Amino acid sequence: IEKGRRGCCMTLLLMTLLACGPSSDDIVKNLSSSNPVVREDTAKIARNFGSDSVESGLIGVLSDPEPKVRLNAVESLIELETKEAVPPLMERLELETDPRVQRAVVDALGRLEDSRAVPALIAFVEKRIDAPPLNALWALGNLEDDRALNVLAPLRASTDPHVVWNVNQALRKLKPAPNPAG
């Protein structure tokens, strides 16, 4: 019986300690650590902390020298549905050299569903018109903005059946852009 009680107490103690995880302030601090492993891990777990300071910290590490930190930051911003990240993500799309991070940025711009991303995604596809990234075609369709029509419609003539299928899916979703004047 004594062993069972001790095991139960240890389990309770462990559960209590695990519940006392880092604070939002700890996350922000660790995102600026000089240790890239700490920044990488922190950018990944930051998706569990929905505060303005954490989201700002994640946006700040979009330009981190380590690709894995940038990747984890992008994925966390998606999970946190941080629309404020759209302009910095658009900028990152132009600058990003790591293919994994670039794919994640494109996915983020599509998943955050903010029409401000449409021009950046159009430019991204136009630069790669001979082999357009399928996730960029998806993202343009997911944003449902007919400004993408001029870049998507000609791609229906592609010899790549995957491009044609993704373009057709995207075109079916397009709607007129919202009128900013009201």
Side-chain angles (χ1 to χ4, degrees):
I1 294 177
E2 188 61 35
K3 266 187 175 177
R5 227 182 248 166
R6 196 175 330 172
C8 182
C9 289
M10 289 302 287
T11 302
L12 243 137
L13 177 63
L14 185 59
M15 288 175 54
T16 303
L17 289 174
L18 291 175
C20 299
S23 69
S24 292
D25 291 341
D26 294 330
I27 297 296
V28 172
K29 178 182 168 205
N30 288 340
L31 284 171
S32 61
S33 170
S34 61
N35 184 332
V37 174
V38 170
R39 293 192 315 271
E40 178 184 326
D41 291 345
T42 302
K44 187 171 189 94
I45 66 165
R47 66 192 67 190
N48 299 310
F49 296 84
S51 74
D52 291 343
S53 62
V54 168
E55 291 174 3
S56 293
L58 287 167
I59 290 169
V61 295
L62 288 175
S63 59
D64 193 275
E66 295 296 324
K68 192 68 172 164
V69 174
R70 296 191 307 270
L71 178 64
N72 287 345
V74 171
E75 291 173 350
S76 288
L77 288 165
I78 292 170
E79 289 298 316
L80 294 169
E81 300 177 2
T82 309
K83 295 219 186 243
E84 294 78 22
V86 170
L89 286 166
M90 291 166 47
E91 183 179 325
R92 185 79 243 153
L93 183 60
E94 292 180 33
L95 302 172
E96 188 55 58
T97 56
D98 185 277
R100 293 173 310 152
V101 179
Q102 195 173 62
R103 278 191 301 275
V105 169
V106 169
D107 290 344
L109 292 172
R111 288 182 61 190
L112 290 173
E113 299 180 350
D114 188 320
S115 63
R116 292 178 292 175
V118 172
L121 287 167
I122 288 172
F124 185 75
V125 170
E126 286 175 338
K127 287 180 185 172
R128 294 151 184 82
I129 204 72
D130 292 333
L134 300 181
N135 68 333
L137 303 177
W138 165 83
L140 284 168
N142 203 51
L143 293 174
E144 300 180 350
D145 189 315
D146 72 354
R147 291 179 288 173
L149 184 62
N150 290 337
V151 74
L152 292 175
L155 288 171
R156 291 185 305 162
S158 173
T159 57
D160 183 336
H162 301 289
V163 170
V164 172
W165 190 86
N166 280 279
V167 163
N168 285 331
Q169 294 303 311
L171 287 169
R172 287 184 179 98
K173 296 174 113 184
L174 299 187
K175 299 175 186 161
N179 184 354

